[in-house]
């Protein structure tokens, strides 16, 4: 009897293997459904339409099969999310720890993750909802931890620092995907936001006075500023 999707997921994550259930029937296909094919189809949907469009039914349609066929390989949507984030993390290049260049190395990793997520609008929703058990995902945190420890950062500080950096990248890339969504009617331009701030009553003196500073930043200036701020904090802790 072939292993169930739950057993395959357990094997990927080195977890206790659940008891095997009844095997589901499968029809013959010219192009067999595989985990790799499912992940590729899912990422293509996200790249073209955003994470909100991703469902098991949509993936099945892209592969010209029914949703039941996917469950022979992927446990559920949560399992698919874990595979997607693992795939993106697998593409991150991790340098050998260099205590003299630890800031640059961590910044470089953060930028790589940011750019990977921005290729797939909203994919950080999956990252926020995924427990870090996939080996490709854990490889990323392992590499960052090695760099921080080599730099003399205390283990607890390094661990929480990685968590904070990861949460910020997830939030930043999610915000960017929302800002770039043409269907998001709540997104306003900087000029419009400046106009709203300037028309506020005098009970908001600082917001009115520093509206330009509050709305400043082009490209990834805010991202670069925040990563530097967080790394400065790690160094001082």
């Amino acid at each position: 009897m072939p292993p169930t999707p739950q057993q395959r997921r357990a094997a990927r994550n080195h977890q206790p293997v659940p008891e095997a259930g009844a095997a589901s029937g499968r029809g013959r296909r010219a192009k067999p459904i595989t985990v790799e094919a499912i992940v590729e189809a899912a990422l293509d949907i996200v790249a073209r339409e955003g994470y909100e469009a991703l469902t098991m039914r949509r993936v099945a349609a892209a592969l010209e099969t029914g949703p039941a066929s996917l469950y022979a390989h992927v446990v559920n949507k949560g399992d698919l999310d874990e595979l997607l984030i693992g795939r993106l993390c697998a593409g991150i290049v991790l340098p050998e720890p260099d205590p003299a260049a630890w800031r640059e190395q961590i910044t470089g990793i953060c930028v790589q993750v940011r750019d990977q997520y921005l290729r797939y609008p909203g994919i950080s929703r999956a990252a926020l909802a995924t427990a870090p058990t996939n080996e490709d995902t854990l490889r990323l945190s392992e590499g960052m931890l090695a760099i921080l420890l080599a730099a003399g950062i205390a283990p607890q500080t390094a661990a929480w620092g990685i968590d904070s950096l990861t949460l910020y990248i997830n939030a930043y890339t999610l915000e960017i995907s929302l800002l770039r969504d043409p269907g998001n009617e709540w997104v306003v331009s900087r000029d419009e936001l400046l106009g709203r701030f300037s028309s506020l009553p005098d009970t908001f003196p600082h917001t009115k006075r520093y509206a330009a500073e509050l709305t400043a930043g082009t490209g990834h200036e805010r991202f670069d500023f925040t990563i530097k701020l967080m790394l400065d904090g790690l160094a001082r802790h």
Side-chain angles (χ1 to χ4, degrees):
M1 178 182 295
T4 65
Q6 287 85 352
Q7 289 173 315
R8 283 193 289 272
R9 182 175 189 273
R12 289 200 304 265
N13 299 327
H14 300 286
Q15 298 168 342
V17 180
E19 293 296 326
S24 59
R26 299 188 183 92
R28 293 183 177 274
R29 287 181 51 84
K31 297 180 179 179
I33 300 298
T34 63
V35 171
E36 181 75 12
I38 293 170
V39 170
E40 289 289 344
L43 287 175
D44 182 62
I45 291 170
V46 177
R48 289 184 291 105
E49 304 176 45
Y51 179 74
E52 289 296 313
L54 181 65
T55 64
M56 298 295 279
R57 189 172 297 278
R58 286 296 309 280
V59 176
L63 294 172
E64 299 182 347
T65 187
S69 298
L70 303 188
Y71 293 114
H73 305 276
V74 178
V75 178
N76 51 30
K77 177 62 161 47
D79 188 26
L80 178 58
D81 284 344
E82 183 178 297
L83 287 167
L84 296 181
I85 297 303
R87 167 66 70 81
L88 299 187
C89 287
I92 303 300
V93 177
L94 299 175
E96 286 296 321
D98 180 357
W102 71 272
R103 289 171 180 265
E104 293 81 2
Q105 290 185 328
I106 292 293
T107 299
I109 292 171
C110 291
V111 168
Q112 287 185 73
V113 176
R114 178 198 71 194
D115 292 346
Q116 279 279 58
Y117 285 1
L118 290 179
R119 292 173 57 201
Y120 303 95
I123 195 70
S124 57
R125 291 181 187 271
L128 287 165
T130 300
T133 57
N134 184 290
E135 288 192 4
D136 288 321
T137 307
L138 288 173
R139 166 185 166 274
L140 181 61
S141 60
E142 172 75 15
M144 295 176 74
L145 186 60
I147 292 170
L148 293 179
L149 293 177
I153 307 296
Q156 187 64 80
T157 301
W160 285 351
I162 292 169
D163 185 55
S164 299
L165 288 164
T166 301
L167 287 172
Y168 175 68
I169 296 169
N170 290 341
Y172 178 85
T173 53
L174 179 57
E175 180 184 48
I176 293 297
S177 70
L178 293 174
L179 291 173
R180 291 178 178 176
D181 181 3
N184 189 348
E185 61 185 18
W186 295 105
V187 174
V188 299
S189 67
R190 187 189 183 211
D191 288 342
E192 183 176 349
L193 194 57
L194 285 170
R196 292 184 184 185
F197 285 173
S198 65
S199 64
L200 287 170
D202 291 339
T203 50
F204 297 89
H206 299 302
T207 302
K208 294 181 68 173
R209 180 176 180 179
Y210 298 107
E213 287 82 0
L214 290 170
T215 59
T218 58
H220 295 301
E221 285 181 336
R222 288 182 178 233
F223 180 89
D224 296 338
F225 169 83
T226 305
I227 295 298
K228 181 180 183 301
L229 192 68
M230 296 173 79
L231 295 183
D232 286 346
L234 286 176
R236 290 194 303 269
H237 197 282

